[in-house]
Amino acid sequence: MRSHSAVSLAIGLLAACTTAPRLDTPPVSPRGANPVGFDASVRTETTDYDFHKENAPKAANAIARSADRTVDMLALSGGGAGGAYGAGVLVGLTGAGTRPRFEIVTGVSTGALIAPFAFLGSDWDSKLTEAYRGQATDGLMQSRGLGVLFDVGVFDGKPLRQLVERFVTDELVFAVAREAAYGRVLLVATTNLDREETVIWDMGAIARRGGKEARKLFQDVLVASASVPGVFPPVMINVEKDGKKYQEMHVDGGASTPFFVAPEAVLSMDTTSLNLRGANIYVVINGQSASAPRSTSNNTIDIAARSFTAVLNHMTRGAIDQTGDFAKINSMGFRYTGIPSDVQFGGSLAFDKANMAATFDYGVRCASRGQAWVTKEQAQQRTRAEDAALQPFVTADCPLPPRQ
């Protein structure tokens, strides 16, 4: 009887897991339902051609009025703990005096968390260092234990939200709003699981709304973009349409795109009128876009993990090629950086202080010595033939981080 009761209890708990209450998803695209208290300008799906055709020229003209007459775009990829590398690169560029003032900054997943600091510039490097050198993230991965039966996500989502709330202050949101008023653009991607589509959020438009509601939505979007499905719980975004309330389930932007310099619709449209000639694109891969060869263990976990990594690596390399083609067609400069495949890297979930500090310091060293950015042509010349156009290079002057 006791064993039957235990089985019944387990079944009941599992059933509760799969039937967590939520409001219905809106039966329309994001252009039809808006976050409560906000208008349609704060977000759209990346494939919404009409929206981007209407707004891209206006945004491009505003951005083209940059102080130095050069438009610099920064795209920050996903990668979890690998974000320590991208954060270190930015700090290293500041130290070297070679950091551009980016008119456009986009972020996905951990890149979304870095993006506001990158957007606001070197004055915020101390906060970026505090967030990514290991102290703030050391307790990020807290297992739910039996709590996993009652909610979604293997790890507790509270530490991630607390991390975002700690750094996304009223001061930060106000600063983003101020820069957005000058025509600069900060975009973050999430994945709407209900529609299985990438959603692009205009964080500057959210910030300019002001008040507690703006800060709350700003935080929600960043948490959602960094919430890896199955690892952290999803974020429910409350929206409304014709006076009726709905909810959307949003997760890691990296579930649908590794990084982006422009929405898919913009990449596919005629961009000759967007004043992009002479602009520069910089892409930070927060991790590795290829893994060092090793034998895969004949067990479910390792097979699944390596299969997932393979998918992400190929998505990233495809996005690099697409971005390079977009830059070439529009006479734009293109450089990127990432952790080379032969560098010992703890992985996307290695948020402990030792790994984060080593990865952050490696990024600082490479950038401060002018060895972070490479073009596709340089990568083709300086990497093995099988890795052509995929990996940055390592030299003796940019030593590898210590093995953990």
Side-chain angles (χ1 to χ4, degrees), residues 54-94:
E54 175 184 345
N55 288 278
K58 292 185 291 185
N61 289 332
I63 294 163
R65 297 194 299 269
S66 61
D68 59 2
R69 301 297 181 184
T70 300
V71 176
D72 295 303
M73 308 181 189
L74 174 67
L76 297 152
S77 84
Y85 174 75
V89 165
L90 289 170
V91 172
L93 291 173
T94 296

Side-chain angles (χ1 to χ4, degrees), residues 83-390:
Y85 174 75
V89 165
L90 289 170
V91 172
L93 291 173
T94 296
T98 57
R99 179 168 165 177
R101 180 180 185 271
F102 298 107
E103 281 70 40
I104 304 174
V105 177
T106 72
V108 173
S109 195
T110 193
L113 304 185
I114 299 171
F117 302 110
F119 181 72
L120 294 176
S122 57
D123 288 346
W124 290 74
D125 278 1
S126 61
K127 289 295 184 181
L128 182 59
T129 301
E130 182 184 349
Y132 268 93
R133 203 174 178 273
Q135 190 67 39
T137 59
D138 197 44
L140 189 61
M141 309 300 287
Q142 294 184 13
S143 175
R144 289 181 179 275
L146 290 177
V148 73
L149 298 173
F150 300 93
D151 206 345
V152 293
V154 174
F155 294 96
D156 193 342
K158 291 181 181 178
L160 175 59
R161 179 164 288 278
Q162 290 169 351
L163 179 69
V164 170
E165 290 176 350
R166 171 179 168 182
F167 289 99
V168 179
T169 60
D170 289 332
E171 180 187 8
L172 182 143
V173 175
F174 178 81
V176 169
R178 181 188 62 230
E179 294 303 315
Y182 295 143
R184 297 176 65 216
V185 177
L186 173 62
L187 304 175
V188 164
T190 64
T191 300
N192 182 337
L193 274 189
D194 297 318
R195 293 179 57 80
E196 299 181 353
E197 292 288 351
T198 307
V199 176
I200 305 298
W201 297 82
D202 186 336
M203 306 303 283
I206 294 173
R208 293 183 72 180
R209 164 69 167 74
K212 294 181 180 179
E213 295 81 5
R215 181 181 175 188
K216 176 64 164 56
L217 183 58
F218 201 105
Q219 292 171 342
D220 284 347
V221 171
L222 294 186
V223 173
S225 186
S227 293
V228 180
V231 177
F232 293 113
V235 173
M236 307 305 298
I237 303 291
N238 295 319
V239 299
E240 58 185 354
K241 169 66 175 176
D242 297 329
K244 185 174 181 180
K245 299 294 193 295
Y246 300 94
Q247 280 186 323
E248 298 172 347
M249 181 180 288
H250 287 257
V251 297
D252 188 355
S256 53
T257 184
F259 67 84
F260 68 100
V261 297
E264 292 174 32
V266 175
L267 295 178
S268 63
M269 69 173 59
D270 180 3
T271 56
T272 55
S273 64
L274 299 186
N275 299 323
L276 298 176
R277 183 178 296 274
N280 297 306
I281 296 175
Y282 299 87
V283 175
V284 174
I285 305 301
N286 287 303
Q288 298 170 313
S289 57
S291 303
R294 69 168 177 83
S295 296
T296 304
S297 300
N298 194 20
N299 64 67
T300 302
I301 293 177
D302 200 31
I303 292 171
R306 296 216 73 190
S307 298
F308 181 68
T309 299
V311 170
L312 290 180
N313 286 346
H314 282 273
M315 284 177 61
T316 299
R317 297 200 294 259
I320 289 172
D321 284 339
Q322 183 184 37
T323 303
D325 292 342
F326 176 75
K328 185 175 181 180
I329 290 171
N330 290 283
S331 300
M332 304 166 72
F334 173 50
R335 298 171 180 82
Y336 70 102
T337 187
I339 303 175
S341 60
D342 56 355
V343 170
Q344 184 72 15
F345 172 53
S348 61
L349 299 182
F351 286 101
D352 60 278
K353 286 188 287 187
N355 275 298
M356 293 291 283
T359 305
F360 181 93
D361 292 346
Y362 175 64
V364 171
R365 286 196 301 272
C366 290
S368 63
R369 296 169 182 176
Q371 297 167 340
W373 301 120
V374 294
T375 65
K376 288 181 65 175
E377 293 73 23
Q378 288 172 326
Q380 289 172 340
Q381 295 170 5
R382 296 174 179 175
T383 58
R384 299 186 303 272
E386 62 268 26
D387 287 338
L390 307 181

